[in-house]
Amino acid sequence: MNYRATAYLVGLFLVGGIITTNCKPQKTQSEESPPPEASETDAEAPVLLTENTDGAKPSVTLSSDLPFDVTITGTKLETSIRRDFDRFSWESFVALNWDPNSADPIGTNGDNATVWETWKNAMDVFLPDGKKPSPWGTPGMIPKSCKTTDKKVLAQVGKTPDLLNEMEQPFKTGPLIDQNGEYTRFEILMNQEMFDYIDKNGLYSFEGQQKFNAPAVFPEGSDSAKEWGAIMVKASWKILGDNDDPSRFHTVEAIVYTPAQDDPKIAESCFTAKVGLVGLHIGTKTKICPQWIWSTFEQVDNAPSFDNIHREGTFNYYNASSKYPWNEAPARPWDPNIENQTPTQVVRLTSIFDGTEALNKEYQAKLREVNPNSVWQYYELVGTQWPVNPRQLPLGNPFPEFLANSTLETYVQGIVKDDKVELVPNVSSSCMHCHNGATMISNGRASDFTFLLERAQ
Amino acid sequence: MTLDTFVQLSAILTGYPEKKLKPKNDTQKVSEAYFAVLNKEVDAQTIAQLNSTFTSIQNPDEASVKTQIVDDPTLGPIAKNITKMWYLAIWYSLDPTSTDPNATYVVSSITYKNGLAWSTMYAHPMGYSEENFGYWETPPNTK
């Protein structure tokens, strides 16, 4: 009798008397999943391990080479393997923020244009009436009401386009208001590999998805093939005010656009402003990690951590003298056009892992070597989430279990109860757990860890 | 009792292999959570007795553990509680007369979703599934 059969008998004996309902949904395997026995075997396979010894810490370097996949050099999950993934995150961050028009190292001149900002914005891919998007390299569209024609458009006022209609949100999301009383703005962009897959398969439209009628499988980055896979980035920006120090941010002059809304009534508005980057998610699909690698960065002045709440300094999203509750969405109506709104009081509930913090210091020092005034030294990796057992489909056993960016998952970081942080599966922020539920809008088919395909019209 | 000994005993009590209860790359740390509960809820003397009894068994298996531990009037309730904890993530009060509402409790949300009852039944906790949307379209693979 194998262990599952034995366990089944033990389980029946125990559960029969305790669980009174027997109508729980049966667990089934998705079309892509291996049978349970195989996945459990794989769960033990050292998929992400190599023979290299722990403790070896190759020095960090700054390079414009965007990694195709993660390179594993260690064997211990919470130290060396984690460091390998954090290195992947930093290598990606550096390469994506390298000036695409210059051979000089990142930050040589303090701030610079970036690679990822040349990518395709989601709002230029999923168009009204399912219209085919313009080819790669075509400048993004500017709303008609905006007169300026050559500046970035930050059209989202929340993490999802219909932010002001909270009832339709999967989580308790809401606008994030900085210490100047201004709404934080968001955008999502994708690399050419991801765009090409969407474009080639017609996944930009409702009708195209119906014809496709299969789970989406985006290309994987591979070291052996020297190919990049799908990469998507989500950025959060704050409008810089008189109290902000622009030398501590990557900044751009942007068109800040608010689409008109009917319920509640919000007027269309459009203005230009200098905005500073405060958060950056990087999602990378690779051969080793088909569940994607999830990296998230923040500007270092965003918010204090729960376990270091009395840290001195001024923050983008925290004021020690404020009585406003932590990590609570603002009162309605959610209208970015209202002036001087009450700032959101943000606290990071899960501290940055010590090893990640150490790697942050190494990279920040390296960036200062290039230029003591580099804006990039003011960014830190909050964490990297990856599948520990990637062949255990579909989710792959994410690690760490929870990960949140305080500017992008502000209100789902977790809760504080009896002066302790409580994190709950499927409730507190976890990149992979959440994105695993993403589907296409037209047919309910899995969309391979991206919610973007729900935007097709 | 060490954590490894606890896991060895748990493997025989539950029918699941040690590598399932304490994987090499353990992201959930369920065994550590349950071991901590055992040490919190059971006095040191009884745990020492459980440890010495188990480690004295040569080549322990289901039959020998049943005879020497599960059927023992002192160790039996502990062993059954350990088994139930692995399957249901609940620590049940050892005192049947207790009126303390907190004497029986769910160990944690992380251990709850890892309860062996779910995988044994090819099911998942309400509100938590790691399958893709629409997985219920196809029958379960129970091979």
Side-chain angles (χ1 to χ4, degrees):
Chain A
M1 183 181 289
N2 66 26
Y3 77 81
R4 183 179 286 281
T6 306
Y8 183 71
L9 292 175
V10 175
L12 279 182
F13 169 74
L14 285 170
V15 176
I18 299 165
I19 295 181
T20 54
T21 175
N22 61 357
C23 58
K24 300 275 194 280
Q26 288 286 294
K27 181 178 182 180
T28 65
Q29 295 297 304
S30 68
E31 293 149 90
E32 304 87 355
S33 301
E37 294 296 333
S39 69
E40 277 160 18
T41 301
D42 286 344
E44 301 308 318
V47 179
L48 298 179
L49 309 183
T50 71
E51 294 305 313
N52 294 346
T53 56
D54 289 325
K57 291 184 178 177
S59 60
V60 303
T61 55
L62 303 181
S63 169
S64 61
D65 295 334
L66 182 63
F68 302 113
D69 204 341
V70 66
T71 302
I72 307 295
T73 64
T75 59
K76 290 182 180 170
L77 178 69
E78 290 186 87
T79 54
S80 54
I81 297 178
R82 191 170 192 159
R83 181 180 168 91
D84 290 332
F85 277 91
D86 284 347
R87 277 182 65 100
F88 173 87
S89 295
W90 261 109
E91 288 168 2
S92 298
F93 181 85
V94 168
L96 291 178
N97 284 300
W98 205 276
D99 188 341
N101 307 308
S102 171
D104 292 336
I106 177 175
T108 298
N109 300 309
D111 197 358
N112 51 262
T114 68
V115 169
W116 63 270
E117 287 172 274
T118 67
W119 288 358
K120 201 81 166 172
N121 194 306
M123 65 184 292
D124 294 320
V125 176
F126 303 99
L127 302 170
D129 302 322
K131 192 179 160 193
K132 185 174 174 61
S134 59
W136 182 262
T138 309
M141 290 180 297
I142 305 291
K144 287 179 183 174
S145 59
C146 301
K147 303 294 182 190
T148 313
T149 57
D150 62 350
K151 293 179 179 172
K152 179 184 292 293
V153 177
L154 296 175
Q156 291 181 220
V157 293
K159 197 177 173 187
T160 49
D162 297 327
L163 172 69
L164 301 178
N165 190 357
E166 195 198 21
M167 293 303 290
E168 295 179 9
Q169 300 306 305
F171 296 110
K172 186 184 153 192
T173 56
L176 175 63
I177 301 176
D178 68 19
Q179 288 298 306
N180 299 326
E182 296 279 5
Y183 272 46
T184 302
R185 306 285 174 149
F186 307 91
E187 62 178 345
I188 301 175
L189 302 96
M190 65 189 76
N191 70 345
Q192 186 169 3
E193 286 73 11
M194 187 163 180
F195 171 73
D196 284 348
Y197 182 83
I198 292 171
D199 189 40
K200 184 179 70 181
N201 293 298
L203 302 181
Y204 52 81
S205 73
F206 189 95
E207 194 177 61
Q209 290 182 8
Q210 280 186 318
K211 285 180 187 167
F212 188 73
N213 199 27
V217 182
F218 284 97
E220 300 171 342
S222 164
D223 272 330
S224 58
K226 298 200 179 309
E227 290 176 349
W228 289 295
I231 306 175
M232 53 187 171
V233 298
K234 181 181 288 183
S236 49
W237 300 86
K238 82 185 290 294
I239 297 168
L240 297 182
D242 293 340
N243 298 327
D244 298 311
D245 178 359
S247 70
R248 294 174 71 87
F249 297 87
H250 165 56
T251 65
V252 294
E253 290 287 335
I255 298 171
V256 181
Y257 175 66
T258 301
Q261 300 273 341
D262 285 332
D263 185 19
K265 191 77 177 173
I266 293 181
E268 182 182 42
S269 67
C270 189
F271 61 94
T272 60
K274 176 174 274 193
V275 295
L277 183 69
V278 288
L280 188 70
H281 277 335
I282 307 170
T284 309
K285 183 168 180 181
T286 76
K287 187 172 184 179
I288 291 177
C289 299
Q291 292 88 349
W292 305 59
I293 299 169
W294 304 83
S295 316
T296 190
F297 289 81
E298 290 192 40
Q299 203 272 350
V300 296
D301 304 319
N302 280 347
S305 294
F306 174 73
D307 60 1
N308 191 17
I309 196 69
H310 299 300
R311 176 185 140 197
E312 290 187 1
T314 55
F315 299 95
N316 301 324
Y317 299 101
Y318 180 80
N319 180 351
S321 63
S322 170
K323 300 297 181 194
Y324 201 82
W326 298 349
N327 303 335
E328 192 160 303
R332 294 170 187 273
W334 291 343
D335 181 351
N337 297 324
I338 300 172
E339 293 185 350
N340 298 321
Q341 302 197 45
T342 303
T344 314
Q345 187 79 333
V346 179
V347 171
R348 182 192 313 291
L349 293 189
T350 304
S351 297
I352 297 174
F353 175 66
D354 287 347
T356 306
E357 196 79 87
L359 189 64
N360 285 340
K361 287 185 167 54
E362 289 180 55
Y363 268 97
Q364 288 160 350
K366 206 74 179 172
L367 290 160
R368 275 193 294 275
E369 281 179 23
V370 173
N371 178 357
N373 297 318
S374 171
V375 298
W376 302 110
Q377 66 181 300
Y378 299 114
Y379 290 88
E380 62 188 4
L381 174 64
V382 176
T384 312
Q385 190 183 57
W386 76 94
V388 171
N389 306 314
R391 283 183 282 162
Q392 192 178 49
L393 298 175
L395 194 53
N397 195 3
F399 184 81
E401 181 92 6
F402 304 99
L403 180 61
N405 184 303
S406 71
T407 68
L408 289 158
E409 287 94 19
T410 311
Y411 310 114
V412 292
Q413 293 185 71
I415 58 170
V416 177
K417 190 177 176 185
D418 298 332
D419 211 29
K420 288 182 181 173
V421 175
E422 281 197 6
L423 304 170
V424 179
N426 245 20
V427 176
S428 306
S429 179
S430 168
C431 320
M432 290 165 62
H433 280 106
C434 179
H435 283 255
N436 185 41
T439 65
M440 295 189 215
I441 187 70
S442 69
N443 54 25
R445 294 283 194 168
S447 56
D448 197 2
F449 290 88
T450 176
F451 288 105
L452 285 175
L453 301 186
E454 292 184 358
R455 300 182 177 204
Q457 298 179 38
Chain B
M1 175 176 269
T2 65
L3 175 61
D4 284 346
T5 304
F6 172 72
V7 172
Q8 287 164 17
L9 171 61
S10 296
I12 294 171
L13 290 172
T14 62
Y16 275 90
E18 291 174 42
K19 65 181 182 181
K20 167 78 174 177
L21 305 182
K22 187 174 183 297
K24 185 173 183 180
N25 279 317
D26 192 355
T27 63
Q28 305 291 298
K29 302 192 185 307
V30 174
S31 59
E32 292 176 26
Y34 291 161
F35 189 50
V37 169
L38 179 70
N39 282 288
K40 182 182 125 192
E41 300 290 351
V42 179
D43 64 89
Q45 190 179 348
T46 306
I47 292 177
Q49 184 186 345
L50 180 65
N51 181 56
S52 62
T53 305
F54 178 64
T55 54
S56 68
I57 303 173
Q58 287 190 336
N59 303 317
D61 58 10
E62 288 178 30
S64 56
V65 166
K66 179 178 187 304
T67 304
Q68 298 192 45
I69 295 179
V70 178
D71 291 345
D72 181 89
T74 302
L75 302 181
I78 310 295
K80 289 171 185 172
N81 248 26
I82 292 172
T83 311
K84 287 189 281 189
M85 185 160 60
W86 275 105
Y87 273 85
L88 303 170
I90 296 172
W91 176 263
Y92 287 89
S93 171
L94 287 167
D95 178 5
T97 63
S98 173
T99 56
D100 179 0
N102 298 317
T104 293
Y105 58 90
V106 175
V107 175
S108 74
S109 58
I110 294 290
T111 58
Y112 182 71
K113 77 180 175 72
N114 283 287
L116 297 177
W118 308 117
S119 57
T120 302
M121 296 187 293
Y122 296 92
H124 60 76
M126 281 186 290
Y128 182 86
S129 170
E130 297 189 349
E131 295 294 327
N132 286 138
F133 177 83
Y135 71 85
W136 50 84
E137 184 184 11
T138 53
N141 186 337
T142 56
K143 289 177 185 173

